[in-house]
Amino acid sequence: MTVAARPTGQDVVVDGGRGELVLFWAGFPLLGAGLGAGLTTLSGWIAGLPWFPFQGLFELLDRWPDERAYPIGAGLGLLGGLALAVVAVRDRLTVTVGHHTVRLHRDGHGRDVARADVAGVFVDGAALVLLDTAGGELAREKSDLDTERLREAFTRQGWPWTGQDPHRDAYRRWVEGLPDLPPGADALLRARQRALDGGHDAETRELHGELARLGVVVRDEGKRQYWRLVPGPPPR
């Protein structure tokens, strides 16, 4: 997705830009309304599919006259598009890079990270990662922001952009019962695997933080967990 990088005073802001907001607040509802109208056209056929959800709704739409069914179907699709837009806006990451701090802002909450604490910045798949001087992670934020724009913003402000994870070769696939993990880490990884499999993002992030406090860094590839130990002492 194309992003905007713009100066605010001496800071550089990287976000999805106004075009992204237009897509969320206008495009998603319009797409939803069109999809709702299209499904209304197919309501008779869909009502005959026992595996399709909301069978009762499609049976009603099929029985109602078109002048009633189409506005309701399109309206429900529009509401679904608006709900999706709310989720997308809440999940939108804004990165404000200054000379001394970077602010990571999402869902009404901002987090500041000091330049003095950061030894490396890079993008790992769909995540922006900031490493501390001991090799642990200060931040791992899910992001679809353009990598080149992020690199430009951080290097312009003098941050140590590494381009890739300098510890990537240290990761190992997690399997239950590994002997090299710190006490308690295996149980946390088991719980995190269950959260990851169930799509419980908040719990997955919380357990990621608990593991970091034990000096264990975790990255995901699909539903698989990979881990490494922090080379330096674990953060207090």
Side-chain angles (χ1 to χ4, degrees), residues 3-15 93-105 111-116 118 121-123 128-130 145-161:
V3 302
R6 59 186 188 276
T8 302
Q10 292 186 338
D11 297 343
V12 178
V13 178
V14 183
D15 60 16
L93 178 67
T94 298
V95 181
T96 305
V97 189
H99 288 300
H100 303 296
T101 60
V102 59
R103 166 154 287 223
L104 307 172
H105 188 270
R111 177 187 175 190
D112 293 328
V113 180
R115 166 67 183 85
V118 176
V121 185
F122 59 93
V123 171
L128 173 66
V129 182
L130 278 67
L145 298 174
D146 182 73
T147 300
E148 182 57 26
R149 294 284 188 176
L150 288 168
R151 183 199 66 79
E152 196 175 291
F154 278 100
T155 56
R156 176 177 172 181
Q157 300 287 46
W159 291 65
W161 181 268

